[in-house]
Amino acid sequence: EFHYITAITKPQIEKLVYSGIFQMELFDKDIVEVMDETIRYILRKNPDRAKEIEDNRESRIKYVLKKLNEQNEYLKEHKKASPDVALRNIKEEIVKRKLSGIIVPELIENKLFYKINYDKIVETSRFDGCYVIKTDLRADEASAKVVHDRCPRPRARAEAGLPGAPPPRPARSCSRPDPRRARPRRRRSSALAP
């Protein structure tokens, strides 16, 4: 007989919370177990991971606001520059940084302004650091702690602070290409030429 232990995605967690399978109050530093028919859910919130996600979001917001200020400087220095193009560039940056709805740019008299939607930040940050492990193992077959510690998904293991988690990815500079991705050029050998 086969059983499974797996971590579920953030959208799946949101769906289960909104459908009433479990409540946000259950997410805590401690492991909590919820049963839904034959499925067991192991819930936890990692405060370190939540802080890391919050810091990352703040960093992305600062980056976009810096770009917005740069666009304003460019518009001020170059009278023929198109404000609509500058607005489009900022909107693309917002989408790229996954900040849609958080930063709302607008163009007023050839100058870019922004509003920060703090309600959207609160809504987005609700699930920061939260993770859920799903299994069909019964409680008498494996305790919640055993299921939690045996979860095979690397990201879930990292969020839980468990051994065997992958190391954090090194930060890459945007200004230089990644040398690991550069392909060496192949040269044709002159010895093969007739």
Side-chain angles (χ1 to χ4, degrees):
E1 188 175 328
F2 293 100
H3 296 283
Y4 63 86
I5 299 173
T6 187
I8 63 175
T9 64
K10 192 179 270 190
Q12 290 170 324
I13 294 171
E14 291 176 14
K15 184 178 178 184
L16 290 169
V17 167
Y18 294 131
S19 67
I21 303 296
F22 42 81
Q23 297 78 33
M24 283 303 299
E25 296 79 31
L26 295 175
F27 286 96
D28 193 13
K29 292 187 305 187
D30 301 323
I31 297 171
V32 177
E33 186 175 348
V34 174
M35 283 293 295
D36 180 40
E37 297 175 14
T38 60
I39 300 172
R40 285 172 65 202
Y41 296 101
I42 315 302
L43 292 67
R44 184 167 181 255
K45 181 171 187 165
N46 184 335
D48 295 333
R49 179 72 177 136
K51 178 72 171 128
E52 182 182 316
I53 293 169
E54 179 185 349
D55 291 346
N56 179 280
R57 185 182 305 108
E58 287 177 12
S59 171
R60 289 181 287 140
I61 290 171
K62 286 178 184 175
Y63 179 82
V64 170
L65 297 182
K66 177 182 156 218
K67 287 291 185 186
L68 187 136
N69 289 331
E70 288 174 3
Q71 288 289 332
N72 275 333
E73 287 298 317
Y74 185 82
L75 290 171
K76 194 163 98 178
E77 293 170 5
H78 300 85
K79 298 298 179 193
K80 291 187 178 183
S82 171
D84 293 325
V85 171
L87 180 62
R88 186 180 69 222
N89 290 342
I90 291 301
K91 286 182 176 180
E92 288 173 359
E93 199 65 48
I94 289 170
V95 169
K96 181 179 174 184
R97 305 281 172 203
K98 297 181 181 174
L99 295 170
S100 297
I102 292 176
I103 301 175
V104 182
E106 55 187 340
L107 185 62
I108 301 173
E109 297 179 8
N110 295 339
K111 188 170 181 182
L112 294 170
F113 293 90
Y114 65 90
K115 293 178 185 170
I116 295 185
N117 185 347
Y118 291 100
D119 292 335
K120 182 72 172 175
I121 292 175
V122 170
E123 178 189 327
T124 305
S125 65
R126 268 182 79 191
F127 295 97
D128 288 357
C130 295
Y131 63 95
V132 176
I133 299 168
K134 175 180 168 181
T135 186
D136 64 345
L137 286 168
R138 293 187 320 268
D140 62 337
E141 294 174 317
S143 70
K145 175 127 178 65
V146 168
V147 171
H148 179 268
D149 293 348
R150 288 189 181 176
C151 181
R153 298 270 303 267
R155 173 50 61 200
R157 294 187 70 76
E159 288 182 350
L162 294 172
R169 294 181 190 150
R172 289 189 351 207
S173 170
C174 296
S175 60
R176 292 182 292 142
D178 187 353
R180 295 173 292 189
R181 293 184 182 219
R183 292 185 178 177
R185 292 184 130 182
R186 287 181 49 183
R187 293 186 176 185
R188 292 184 177 221
S189 174
S190 58
L192 297 177

